[in-house]
Amino acid sequence: MAPAQGQFSDHSDGADGTGGAEGPPVPPAFRRAVDALRSARLRPELEVETTRPPKRLAPHAFALEAAVVDGEDDLADGRLVLLHDPAGHDAWQGTFRLVTLVRAELEPEMAADPLLPEVCWSWLTGALDARGLSYGEAGGTVTRAGSHYFGALGARRPATQIEIRASWTPREGRGGVPDAASHLMAWGELLCQIAGLPPSDPADAAVVTLPQRRGPQVS
């Protein structure tokens, strides 16, 4: 495992949720969780950088985006957002929440598999479980969307995109801080699996993966 690829850059206006001239003071638990995300060691195929987080989902938020890169091709991409509400949130059943969007383009024969949504969802829960992570209130959607091209675009092959939207509550440990780094590593494994890469752990070799392919950019 190599250190996280890409550049983790700070937003000078505090948009990463860890400080700034405006907004509520940053709780130590949230700052420690963000520090853990920054120090996580991820697979070398992943390129990661911070991005502007949503402002209205929680008092504090930190976001990053990543792509699985093979040469000049992006095989899959996604975003992961860490939310924190020190007062707690009834729907979360906790004070932290992780929210993600992951997507990739599929080969036509894989897109036709009726079990594909269940398999993709199992990659998320399996990646978390493989690291012994405790979490709750997990929920999300797996969506297949097909595109057929006509007219001036008729030479393009039909394409199918798979998209996973999910959120879950990481259980808090000492000091009310979740193991954010391990959750990020699990998310990175999900991103690599949807890109068609084999699991990083040889013990997980039986896990089904998709063929490698070019994936879309997160917009």
Side-chain angles (χ1 to χ4, degrees):
M1 301 283 279
Q5 304 296 300
Q7 179 180 2
F8 279 80
S9 59
D10 290 316
H11 297 290
S12 60
D13 61 357
D16 63 354
T18 58
E22 299 180 358
V26 179
F30 180 69
R31 189 177 296 277
R32 288 171 59 190
V34 170
D35 288 345
L37 290 177
R38 292 181 180 276
S39 64
R41 299 179 65 83
L42 303 176
R43 292 178 57 160
E45 301 93 341
L46 287 166
E47 292 188 355
V48 186
E49 63 182 3
T50 59
T51 187
R52 189 172 298 277
K55 295 182 177 180
R56 299 182 180 180
L57 297 180
H60 306 280
F62 177 83
L64 56 82
E65 57 186 15
V68 180
V69 178
D70 179 22
E72 297 182 355
D73 292 339
D74 287 356
L75 304 179
D77 54 39
R79 286 190 180 126
L80 183 69
V81 181
L82 176 69
L83 305 175
H84 180 53
D85 186 343
H89 197 294
D90 290 342
W92 302 353
Q93 294 295 301
T95 64
F96 283 90
R97 188 76 171 170
L98 284 161
V99 181
T100 188
L101 163 66
V102 171
R103 60 189 186 182
E105 193 170 295
L106 302 179
E107 297 296 335
E109 61 270 18
M110 295 300 301
D113 187 343
L115 296 179
L116 183 65
E118 289 81 1
V119 170
C120 289
W121 182 255
S122 73
W123 289 341
L124 171 60
T125 57
L128 295 170
D129 294 342
R131 285 166 176 75
L133 293 170
S134 181
Y135 61 95
E137 306 304 317
T141 62
V142 177
T143 304
R144 280 182 290 197
S147 298
H148 293 263
Y149 300 95
F150 301 93
L153 302 178
R156 295 187 181 182
R157 296 176 56 192
T160 301
Q161 187 182 84
I162 191 76
E163 179 182 276
I164 303 174
R165 293 179 181 267
S167 63
W168 65 97
T169 299
R171 295 307 183 204
E172 299 163 16
R174 181 176 300 177
V177 183
D179 186 355
S182 292
H183 281 271
L184 174 55
M185 292 170 64
W187 179 77
E189 200 63 47
L190 165 68
L191 198 59
C192 288
Q193 283 191 280
I194 200 173
L197 301 185
S200 59
D201 186 350
D204 296 333
V207 175
V208 177
T209 59
L210 300 182
Q212 289 192 17
R213 58 206 167 273
R214 182 187 300 274
Q217 290 287 337
V218 169
S219 59

